Amino acid sequence: MTRGDHTTDLLRRCVVVGGAGAVGGLFAEHLLRSGAEVLVVDPGAGEAAGEALSGGPAERTGSGEARFLRGDITDIGPDLREEIGRADLVLLAVPEQVALAAVKQVAAAMRPGALLADTLSVKGPIADEILAHAGDVEAAGLNPMFAPSLGFAGRPVAAVVIHDGPRTRALLRLVESWGGRAVRLGAHEHDRLAAATQALTHAAVLSFGLALARLGVGVAELAAVAPPPHATMLALLARIASGTPEVYWDVQSANPQAAAAREALAEGVRTLAGLLDGRADGEAEFAAALGGLRDLLGPDLGFYRDTCAEMFGALRPYEHPLSPYEPSPTTSTSPPVTTER
């Protein structure tokens, strides 16, 4: 950690609850590399978790070794209570219901001025719980807006600061030192934007897949002739379908604003259908709708248009060993996709 801004002293002892999982492991690993002492608390903490965090000592400025404690954060025993009482940072990288159930007793076990943080994808309920039960500690919610396997570099991390202070600011500086972009938001604003960026996006991709299944066309025959936009949608569908169902269920079910995002998606399909119902002025209205979408993108239109062109240029040609449309099939050596978001 950077000694010039006292980050080392402010966040020396860190407890990462759920550190054996993907998101918790991401934070635990980077805290270790920054020189912190890290205790991973997880019901499954043990040898497998240790292997997941066992980078080379040369890559870290601290001891490079996390400690592990098998425990239930909703039922804190004496050993865990002592560790929490010594911690500068307690990070809850656990499912929403676990975090909500744990806040009151975790905050009671922490010393005043320590930092309680979470990585939940919905911030409204946890913010309310912290305001009700954690008045003596600093508190902030972080939401990495990317799959953990992608890493922090160049990627946004939404930050909902509830009780600000020097340790909160030190943690946000650390996120930026890891290459992330800390974006401060209010809890309601976070959930509104997450409904648009995650719930709406995932719903659109999942609906695309459900529509393909309803049409009864095979992916091999589609992919053999797919233009770049369709191939991109198939890639997005494959990424989500290869992920953990609970992650995508939580995005759709936990955010109270996700239902409005899905209804907006359905209304968008109905609006498009209305433009194509055979009316004489349908084509003009369709052109006007496209103009409205150009206005929506505003000054960012060129950036996203050019980004799309680059993405299409990077698409690999379709090859499948079982495809009847490929004269010389080859076997892909790419690893299976297992990331989310």
Side-chain angles (χ1 to χ4, degrees):
M1 294 186 184
T2 303
R3 294 187 178 275
D5 61 7
H6 306 295
T7 301
T8 300
D9 294 331
L10 289 170
L11 298 175
R12 181 177 297 279
R13 299 185 182 93
C14 302
V15 174
V16 181
V17 185
V23 176
L26 176 71
F27 277 93
E29 181 73 15
H30 280 75
L31 287 167
L32 281 169
R33 292 186 179 190
S34 297
E37 300 172 14
V38 176
L39 172 70
V40 169
V41 178
D42 198 286
E47 183 176 346
E51 291 175 356
L53 296 174
S54 58
E59 297 177 304
R60 302 195 177 117
T61 58
S63 67
E65 298 295 334
R67 294 184 297 125
F68 297 90
L69 177 63
R70 190 184 303 273
D72 180 357
I73 197 62
T74 65
D75 185 15
I76 299 175
D79 292 343
L80 180 53
R81 186 177 303 277
E82 181 180 353
E83 294 285 357
I84 290 174
R86 297 173 60 246
D88 300 309
L89 165 66
V90 178
L91 179 67
L92 301 177
V94 293
E96 181 182 39
Q97 292 308 312
V98 175
L100 293 175
V103 164
K104 184 175 181 178
Q105 57 180 311
V106 170
M110 295 173 68
R111 71 177 192 275
L115 172 58
L116 175 60
D118 71 85
T119 63
L120 301 187
S121 58
V122 178
K123 297 305 186 187
I126 191 72
D128 291 341
E129 195 70 13
I130 287 171
L131 289 170
H133 300 295
D136 293 335
V137 299
E138 294 183 32
L142 302 181
N143 184 10
M145 304 297 285
F146 52 88
S149 62
L150 296 176
F152 284 100
R155 306 190 192 281
V157 178
V160 176
V161 176
I162 303 166
H163 297 315
D164 206 350
R167 287 188 171 85
T168 299
R169 293 189 289 273
L171 180 58
L172 297 185
R173 286 196 300 271
L174 270 184
V175 167
E176 302 230 335
S177 76
W178 301 335
R181 292 188 293 106
V183 182
R184 285 207 184 202
L185 301 168
H188 177 80
E189 183 184 15
H190 169 277
D191 292 352
R192 179 177 64 86
L193 293 177
T197 59
Q198 293 184 315
L200 174 62
T201 304
H202 297 170
V205 175
L206 290 166
S207 297
F208 166 77
L210 294 171
L212 282 183
R214 189 177 183 87
L215 289 173
V217 289
V219 171
E221 58 183 317
L222 287 170
V225 296
H230 186 85
T232 301
M233 289 295 288
L234 287 177
L236 289 168
L237 179 62
R239 184 175 181 83
I240 290 178
S242 299
T244 305
E246 291 79 7
V247 171
Y248 297 102
W249 172 261
D250 286 346
V251 166
Q252 297 297 330
S253 65
N255 191 331
Q257 302 191 53
R262 291 191 299 272
E263 177 54 33
L265 176 63
E267 181 59 29
V269 174
R270 289 192 291 268
T271 298
L272 176 60
L275 297 175
L276 302 170
D277 65 359
R279 292 178 299 172
D281 59 351
E283 185 174 356
E285 290 191 13
F286 181 82
L290 283 184
L293 296 178
R294 287 194 294 272
D295 293 340
L296 174 66
L297 289 163
D300 294 321
L301 174 67
F303 170 79
Y304 285 108
R305 182 191 60 227
D306 295 345
T307 298
C308 185
E310 292 177 10
M311 290 169 54
F312 286 175
L315 285 173
R316 294 183 299 171
Y318 175 70
E319 297 179 346
H320 194 290
L322 302 180
S323 173
Y325 306 97
E326 292 291 333
S328 301
T330 59
T331 300
S332 173
T333 59
S334 300
V337 176
T338 56
T339 53
E340 289 106 28
R341 302 193 189 193

